[in-house]
Amino acid sequence: MPELPEVEVSRLGISPHLIGQRIQAIMVRQVQLRWPIPGEVQYAVGREIRDVRRRAKYLLIDTDVGSLILHLGMSGSLRVVDIDTPVQKHDHVDIQLHNGKCLRFNDPRRFGACLWQAAGETPIELLERLGPEPLTDAFDGRRLYELSRNKTLAVKNFIMDNQIVVGVGNIYASESLFMAGVDPRKAAGKVTKGAYEKLAAAIKQVLAHAIQQGGTTLKDFTQADGNPGYFAQELQVYGRAGEPCRVCENPVQSLTIGQRNSFYCKKCQR
C-alpha cells in the first residue's frame, strides 16, 4: 500500500503538469471503486486547477468550486499521459486537460477513491477526523505523550492511528520506532515524555528522508514518471527479519502487532 511519502512524491510529480490547467473532461470508466464515484466530480469540468494538495494519504485537486479527492488505496497509481495514450487494464479515471494531457488513475484492486468536496462546505467525514500532519509544527512529542496517557495499546498501533497523527504507515512506524529506540510492543501509556520527543523527531526524519528518496520501493507503486522509489534499500529493520541489526548485529525480530507485520531489534529498542 502506498504510504504518505509515496503519496507526497506522487503529488510532487503531478503538480507541475496540473496547476494552471483547465479540466476539459472527466472520464469515468469504472464507477465502483472503494466507494462509488459521485456524479458531482463533473462539477470540476471547465474549471482551472488552482493547486494540488495532500491531506494524509488523500490528494486534493483544487478548483474554485471544489476539490477532486483522490486516494490510491492498495495499488493505485497516477500517470500524466497524452489524452490519446491507449487505455490499459484498470485505467478507471481520466482527468483530461485542455493542453492535451490527462491525469490517469489506474487501480487494479479498486480500493482507491475519487470523491468530491464542494468549496466552502464542511470537510467530508474522511478528512474531518484526521490528526495533524507529521511534518508540521502541530505534531510533536508533547502531543504524543499527552494523548497516550493510560493507553494500553502497543505504541506502534498508537502512532499509526490517523486521529493521533496522519500518515505513519506500517513501514515507517517500524523504522521510526527503531530510530528512537522504542520497543513497538510497549504500551503507549508507559512510554516516557522524553522517548516520545525522540519518537516524534524520528517520525519527521524518517518521513522527510523517504520523500526525498522518492518513497519506498513497492511493486504496486510507480511515480508519475513511471519510476519506482528508492528508499526500500535503506530500510533499517522493516522486512529484514533474521538479518543482523545494522547497529548491534543482533538478528532483527519480527512479530504481528495489530494484524500487521512488525520488525524491531530486541537490544536497540527498549
Side-chain angles (χ1 to χ4, degrees):
M1 174 186 292
E3 297 197 29
L4 183 147
E6 284 76 32
V7 179
E8 178 63 11
V9 168
S10 184
R11 185 191 73 81
L12 293 171
I14 66 176
S15 292
H17 302 281
L18 269 59
I19 295 174
Q21 298 296 327
R22 201 150 43 93
I23 297 175
Q24 175 176 284
I26 297 178
M27 181 178 294
V28 177
R29 299 185 184 88
Q30 171 57 263
V31 70
Q32 191 61 53
L33 300 182
R34 184 173 183 181
W35 301 284
I37 298 177
E40 287 87 347
V41 298
Q42 299 297 334
Y43 292 162
V45 174
R47 302 293 179 170
E48 180 181 309
I49 296 174
R50 294 183 167 183
D51 199 4
V52 180
R53 297 179 290 129
R54 179 190 54 75
R55 183 70 174 101
K57 297 181 185 179
Y58 296 93
L59 289 174
L60 287 78
I61 300 175
D62 294 338
T63 73
D64 63 325
V65 295
S67 302
L68 294 163
I69 301 174
L70 302 177
H71 192 285
L72 299 180
M74 295 290 291
S75 59
S77 63
L78 295 168
R79 301 284 185 92
V80 177
V81 299
D82 293 332
I83 287 178
D84 59 0
T85 299
V87 174
Q88 299 179 4
K89 188 176 183 180
H90 309 303
D91 283 344
H92 299 318
V93 180
D94 279 2
I95 300 173
Q96 299 180 356
L97 308 175
H98 271 266
N99 65 355
K101 299 289 186 179
C102 112
L103 180 66
R104 184 161 288 172
F105 180 33
N106 181 287
D107 186 9
R109 300 181 193 174
R110 291 198 290 167
F111 286 137
C114 179
L115 304 171
W116 177 254
Q117 171 70 63
E121 293 190 2
T122 302
I124 63 174
E125 187 176 357
L126 290 171
L127 302 180
E128 192 173 22
R129 295 182 296 177
L130 294 174
E133 290 286 332
L135 299 179
T136 65
D137 292 339
F139 170 68
D140 57 19
R142 183 174 68 176
R143 174 181 173 83
L144 290 178
Y145 179 75
E146 292 177 351
L147 294 180
S148 66
R149 296 307 84 192
N150 301 317
K151 299 282 188 182
T152 59
L153 81 166
V155 63
K156 179 168 180 279
N157 289 346
F158 175 69
I159 63 173
M160 290 179 64
D161 183 344
N162 275 333
Q163 294 186 43
I164 302 300
V165 57
V166 301
V168 184
N170 193 41
I171 294 174
Y172 301 111
S174 289
E175 292 295 293
S176 299
L177 287 161
F178 175 77
M179 179 178 287
V182 177
D183 189 322
R185 303 169 297 175
K186 194 168 188 175
K190 298 294 186 181
V191 178
T192 66
K193 186 175 182 180
Y196 272 128
E197 294 287 354
K198 291 181 180 178
L199 181 54
I203 289 170
K204 291 174 182 285
Q205 184 175 340
V206 166
L207 291 176
H209 181 64
I211 292 168
Q212 182 181 20
Q213 294 299 312
T216 310
T217 304
L218 297 175
K219 65 180 181 180
D220 286 333
F221 176 76
T222 53
Q223 295 179 26
D225 61 2
N227 294 320
Y230 299 103
F231 188 57
Q233 59 190 301
E234 300 180 22
L235 295 176
Q236 300 299 303
V237 289
Y238 187 87
R240 300 188 62 243
E243 297 180 27
C245 171
R246 301 190 197 278
V247 175
C248 71
E249 297 189 350
N250 280 291
V252 172
Q253 306 293 312
S254 67
L255 76 163
T256 301
I257 300 177
Q259 301 181 328
R260 306 295 296 273
N261 289 333
S262 303
F263 302 86
Y264 71 105
C265 174
K266 282 185 177 180
K267 184 175 181 180
C268 294
Q269 295 173 253
R270 302 290 184 180

